[in-house]
């Protein structure tokens, strides 16, 4: 976020980047449409549950466990191998995200630590805290240069301050920055992608854009593909206006694709087919 550090509200400043306002408006219209679906008046809990499952599947796919939805739905053992553990972690994070909204507004770093603890599901010393100098990161999808532990600490504090300050930025912008910053930093020794996408979900829910959590951006990120995801992230890391705008637009498109997924769920429920 180097291009905006001099402004009083750097997140809000990103809303003026070329194309960002259009992305924000497009996302808002899409979300409003699915919330207006007649199924949402009586079966919103069913849509929320299905969106959570599909979101977890999408997040796991981006972390290397690209399972069919029905496989995720039927499995109960998520500790058998590496891919199963990734899917299990994604499911746990999706379930946990909605429980952390009030804490997020006051202590984002505490929430991030909790998310990593939930994802890792181990008792190792490295779990639930930012990595220290000399510790590596297991995040095969992201091959960008790894910031130092000192830089991670400083930028996490800065990100936390922006969230606590309650920026006037649109929810999409804040969610995209939280997601992008965590991927760029990779603050934990593992599961950074899963944690970043869970944090994005928390922002979208807590901001009021998607209060019932029925617009799984993770689905959209996965649908756009891993190569597109990494390319958009590189734009964020560049810190240029065009790169930042491209990342925000990518995240906006992910939400819209999540809306499309949940609209299909609504239609299936209406037909009695799901």
């Amino acid at each position: 976020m180097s291009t905006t550090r001099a402004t009083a509200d750097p997140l809000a400043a990103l809303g003026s980047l070329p194309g960002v306002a259009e992305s924000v408006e497009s996302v808002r219209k899409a979300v409003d449409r699915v919330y207006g679906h007649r199924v949402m008046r009586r079966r919103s809990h069913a849509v929320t549950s299905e969106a959570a499952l599909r979101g977890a599947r999408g997040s796991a796919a981006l972390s290397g466990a690209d399972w069919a939805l029905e496989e995720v739905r039927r499995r109960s053992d998520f500790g058998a191998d590496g891919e199963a553990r990734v899917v299990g972690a994604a499911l746990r994070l999706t379930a946990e995200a909605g429980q952390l909204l009030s804490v997020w507004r006051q202590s984002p770093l505490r929430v991030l630590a909790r998310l990593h603890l939930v994802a890792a599901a181990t008792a190792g010393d490295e779990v639930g805290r930012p990595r220290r100098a000399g510790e590596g990161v297991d995040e095969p999808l992201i091959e960008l240069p790894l910031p130092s532990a000192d830089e991670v600490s400083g930028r996490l504090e800065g990100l936390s301050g922006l969230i606590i300050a309650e920026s006037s930025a649109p929810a999409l912008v804040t969610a995209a920055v939280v997601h992008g910053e965590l991927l760029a930093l990779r603050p934990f020794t593992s599961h950074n992608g899963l944690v970043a996408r869970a944090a994005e979900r928390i922002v979208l829910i807590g901001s009021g854009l998607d209060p019932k959590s029925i617009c799984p951006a993770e689905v959209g990120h996965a649908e756009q593909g891993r190569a597109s995801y990494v390319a958009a992230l590189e734009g964020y890391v560049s810190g240029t206006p065009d790169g930042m705008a491209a990342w925000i637009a990518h995240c906006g498109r992910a939400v819209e694709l999540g809306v499309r997924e949940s609209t299909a769920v609504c239609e299936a429920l209406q037909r009695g087919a799901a």
Side-chain angles (χ1 to χ4, degrees):
M1 294 185 290
S2 59
T3 59
T4 58
R5 280 176 181 163
T7 64
D9 188 346
L11 291 178
L14 293 175
S16 64
L17 292 176
V20 170
E22 291 81 358
S23 293
V24 168
E25 182 63 18
S26 181
V27 166
R28 168 54 68 186
K29 288 180 178 179
V31 172
D32 286 348
R33 282 195 299 271
V34 71
Y35 270 84
H37 197 287
R38 65 176 61 186
V39 166
M40 289 297 296
R41 292 197 293 269
R42 60 186 186 277
R43 300 195 66 183
S44 64
H45 290 302
V47 181
T48 295
S49 295
E50 188 64 19
L53 184 72
R54 296 181 185 215
R57 193 217 73 81
S59 190
L62 285 170
S63 286
D66 192 1
W67 289 12
L69 180 63
E70 291 309 313
E71 178 70 4
V72 178
R73 197 189 304 279
R74 75 171 186 83
R75 285 284 289 269
S76 58
D77 177 12
F78 294 103
D81 54 48
E83 287 196 5
R85 287 191 290 273
V86 169
V87 175
L91 288 167
R92 291 191 301 274
L93 284 173
T94 300
E96 187 78 6
Q99 310 302 314
L100 298 171
L101 297 176
S102 61
V103 182
W104 174 259
R105 297 184 185 99
Q106 299 180 25
S107 183
L109 299 185
R110 180 178 163 195
V111 169
L112 293 175
R114 173 62 184 171
L115 291 174
H116 186 244
L117 185 68
V118 168
T122 65
D125 173 68
E126 75 284 358
V127 174
R129 62 159 175 80
R131 55 186 170 81
R132 296 169 181 159
E135 290 182 327
V137 171
D138 180 12
E139 195 66 46
L141 176 61
I142 309 301
E143 298 180 351
L144 295 168
L146 193 65
S148 69
D150 286 343
E151 183 178 353
V152 167
S153 178
R155 286 172 63 174
L156 282 178
E157 288 292 342
L159 181 64
S160 176
L162 289 175
I163 294 165
I164 293 170
E166 297 185 353
S167 169
S168 62
L172 172 63
V173 171
T174 303
V177 168
V178 167
H179 185 170
E181 193 73 354
L182 292 175
L183 281 180
L185 294 177
R186 282 147 288 161
F188 303 108
T189 58
S190 64
H191 300 93
N192 289 287
L194 294 174
V195 168
R197 291 184 288 275
E200 178 186 52
R201 172 181 284 267
I202 288 172
V203 174
L204 294 172
I205 299 170
S207 66
L209 177 65
D210 182 22
K212 295 183 183 294
S213 192
I214 62 166
C215 307
E218 305 95 325
V219 169
H221 287 302
E223 187 169 333
Q224 292 179 90
R226 299 176 82 185
S228 177
Y229 186 65
V230 172
L233 176 64
E234 289 174 351
Y236 175 86
V237 172
S238 76
T240 65
D242 286 348
M244 298 288 286
W247 170 251
I248 293 168
H250 180 92
C251 292
R253 180 58 179 159
V255 176
E256 291 185 71
L257 290 169
V259 167
R260 187 178 71 179
E261 188 86 355
S262 286
T263 300
V265 171
C266 288
E267 294 295 332
L269 288 169
Q270 186 168 285
R271 294 192 304 269

